[in-house]
Amino acid sequence: TLNLNSTGQLVLDKANASVPGTGFAWNAGTLKIGTIGTMSLANALSIPASGTLDINGLLEIDNGGSINNLGVFNLNNTGGLTFKNTTVSLPNGTFNWLSGADITINSGSTLALATALAIPANSKLTNHGTIDLSNTISVPPTGSLANNGTLNINNVGVLSN
């Protein structure tokens, strides 16, 4: 059994890292993907109310993967978030996308964006799949949106720069 509690940290800082399976209880504390860490998520991950997911490396959300965020999700300046062969929304709860981090939607994936999203300075949102936009994507002068797929601006959706 591995319990992540209070102010404890579990740092995954290698290629193909994974959250411990059976016997892992994330009750609080920080799960961190280090700068050289990569993790593929093909199942559900719940961030507890007193928990933080810090991404400094790469998190790939694969088919079947999802995040239920009751705490804090930080995509830090060296981090990357990639959606692979899945249909997802950005994590609910507190989602902090910091300058320098990138998000990629691969071919075969759909990002359903119902909440406003501001692309930070020096960051890129790259779409090779589909973005279904029902809110606002703001692109600052030093951020970028590279649309190599399909961008559906629905109902009250707005693309602003």
Side-chain angles (χ1 to χ4, degrees), residues 4 6 9 16 20 50 53 56 58 66 77 99 104 107 112-115 126 129 139 143 145 152 156 158:
L4 182 55
S6 187
Q9 288 191 21
N16 301 314
S50 297
L53 176 60
N56 298 300
L58 177 63
S66 65
N77 63 345
S99 177
T104 303
S107 178
L113 195 56
T115 56
T126 302
V139 184
L145 169 62
N152 297 316
V156 295
V158 176

Coordinates of all heavy atoms in Angstrom, one line a residue, residues 4 6 9 16 20 50 53 56 58 66 77 99 104 107 112-115 126 129 139 143 145 152 156 158:
L4 N -0.4 8.6 -0.3 CA 0.1 10.0 -0.5 C -0.8 10.9 0.3 O -1.9 11.1 0.0 CB 0.1 10.4 -2.0 CG 0.7 11.7 -2.3 CD1 2.1 11.9 -1.8 CD2 0.7 11.9 -3.8
S6 N -1.2 14.5 3.2 CA -0.7 15.8 3.7 C 0.1 16.6 2.8 O -0.3 16.8 1.7 CB 0.0 15.5 5.1 OG 0.2 16.8 5.7
Q9 N 5.0 14.2 -1.2 CA 5.2 14.3 -2.6 C 5.6 12.9 -3.2 O 6.4 12.2 -2.6 CB 6.3 15.3 -3.0 CG 6.0 16.7 -2.8 CD 7.0 17.6 -3.4 OE1 7.8 17.3 -4.3 NE2 7.0 18.9 -3.0
N16 N 8.2 6.8 -19.2 CA 7.2 5.8 -19.1 C 6.9 5.5 -17.6 O 6.7 4.4 -17.2 CB 7.6 4.5 -19.7 CG 7.9 4.6 -21.2 OD1 7.1 5.3 -21.9 ND2 9.0 4.1 -21.7
P20 N 1.4 4.2 -9.1 CA 1.3 2.9 -8.6 C -0.2 2.4 -8.8 O -1.1 3.2 -8.6 CB 1.7 3.0 -7.2 CG 2.5 4.2 -7.1 CD 2.0 5.1 -8.2
S50 N -7.3 18.2 -1.5 CA -6.1 18.7 -0.9 C -4.9 18.3 -1.7 O -3.8 18.2 -1.2 CB -6.0 18.3 0.5 OG -7.0 18.8 1.3
L53 N -1.5 18.2 -8.8 CA -0.8 17.5 -9.9 C 0.1 18.5 -10.5 O -0.4 19.5 -11.1 CB -1.8 16.8 -10.9 CG -1.1 16.2 -12.1 CD1 -0.2 15.0 -11.7 CD2 -2.2 15.7 -13.0
N56 N 5.8 18.9 -14.9 CA 7.0 19.6 -15.4 C 7.6 18.8 -16.6 O 8.4 19.3 -17.3 CB 8.1 19.6 -14.3 CG 7.6 20.4 -13.1 OD1 7.3 21.6 -13.2 ND2 7.5 19.8 -12.0
L58 N 6.0 15.4 -19.3 CA 4.9 15.2 -20.2 C 3.8 14.3 -19.7 O 4.2 13.2 -19.2 CB 5.5 14.6 -21.5 CG 4.5 14.3 -22.6 CD1 3.8 15.5 -23.1 CD2 5.2 13.5 -23.8
S66 N -8.7 9.9 -18.1 CA -9.5 11.1 -17.7 C -8.9 11.5 -16.4 O -8.3 10.8 -15.6 CB -11.0 10.8 -17.6 OG -11.2 9.8 -16.5
N77 N 6.0 25.5 -16.6 CA 6.6 26.1 -17.8 C 7.5 25.1 -18.6 O 7.7 25.3 -19.7 CB 7.5 27.3 -17.4 CG 8.6 26.9 -16.4 OD1 8.6 25.9 -15.9 ND2 9.5 27.8 -16.3
S99 N 3.2 29.9 -18.5 CA 4.0 30.3 -19.7 C 5.1 29.3 -20.0 O 5.8 28.9 -19.1 CB 4.6 31.7 -19.4 OG 5.4 32.1 -20.5
T104 N -1.0 19.6 -26.8 CA -1.2 19.1 -28.1 C -2.4 18.1 -28.2 O -2.5 17.3 -27.3 CB 0.1 18.3 -28.5 OG1 1.2 19.2 -28.4 CG2 0.0 17.7 -29.9
S107 N -4.0 13.7 -33.8 CA -5.0 13.2 -34.7 C -5.8 12.1 -34.0 O -5.2 11.2 -33.3 CB -4.3 12.6 -36.0 OG -5.2 12.1 -36.9
A112 N -13.1 18.9 -26.1 CA -14.3 19.6 -26.0 C -14.1 20.8 -25.0 O -13.8 20.5 -23.8 CB -15.4 18.7 -25.5
L113 N -14.1 22.0 -25.5 CA -13.7 23.2 -24.7 C -15.0 24.0 -24.4 O -15.4 24.8 -25.2 CB -12.7 24.0 -25.4 CG -11.9 25.0 -24.6 CD1 -11.2 24.4 -23.4 CD2 -10.9 25.7 -25.5
A114 N -15.5 23.8 -23.2 CA -16.7 24.5 -22.7 C -16.4 25.6 -21.7 O -17.3 26.4 -21.4 CB -17.7 23.5 -22.1
T115 N -15.1 25.7 -21.3 CA -14.7 26.7 -20.4 C -13.7 27.6 -21.1 O -13.0 27.1 -22.0 CB -14.1 26.2 -19.1 OG1 -13.0 25.3 -19.5 CG2 -15.1 25.3 -18.3
T126 N -1.5 23.1 -30.0 CA -1.4 22.6 -31.3 C -2.5 21.6 -31.5 O -2.6 20.6 -30.7 CB 0.0 21.9 -31.5 OG1 1.0 22.8 -31.2 CG2 0.2 21.3 -32.9
G129 N -6.1 17.2 -34.3 CA -7.4 16.5 -34.2 C -8.5 17.4 -34.4 O -8.7 18.1 -35.4
V139 N -5.7 34.1 -27.5 CA -4.3 33.9 -28.0 C -3.6 35.2 -27.8 O -3.9 36.2 -28.6 CB -4.3 33.4 -29.4 CG1 -2.9 33.1 -29.8 CG2 -5.2 32.2 -29.6
G143 N 1.8 34.0 -27.5 CA 1.3 32.6 -27.5 C 0.9 32.2 -28.9 O 0.8 33.1 -29.8
L145 N -1.7 29.4 -31.4 CA -2.6 28.3 -31.7 C -2.3 27.8 -33.1 O -2.4 28.6 -34.1 CB -4.0 28.8 -31.7 CG -5.1 27.9 -32.2 CD1 -5.2 26.6 -31.4 CD2 -6.5 28.5 -32.2
N152 N -14.0 23.6 -34.5 CA -15.4 23.9 -34.6 C -15.8 25.0 -33.6 O -15.6 24.8 -32.4 CB -16.2 22.7 -34.3 CG -16.0 21.6 -35.3 OD1 -16.0 21.8 -36.5 ND2 -15.9 20.4 -34.8
V156 N -21.8 29.8 -28.7 CA -21.2 31.1 -28.2 C -19.7 31.0 -28.2 O -19.0 31.8 -27.5 CB -21.7 31.4 -26.7 CG1 -23.2 31.6 -26.7 CG2 -21.4 30.2 -25.8
V158 N -15.8 31.6 -29.2 CA -15.1 32.8 -29.7 C -13.6 32.5 -29.7 O -13.1 31.9 -28.8 CB -15.3 34.0 -28.7 CG1 -14.5 35.2 -29.2 CG2 -16.8 34.4 -28.6

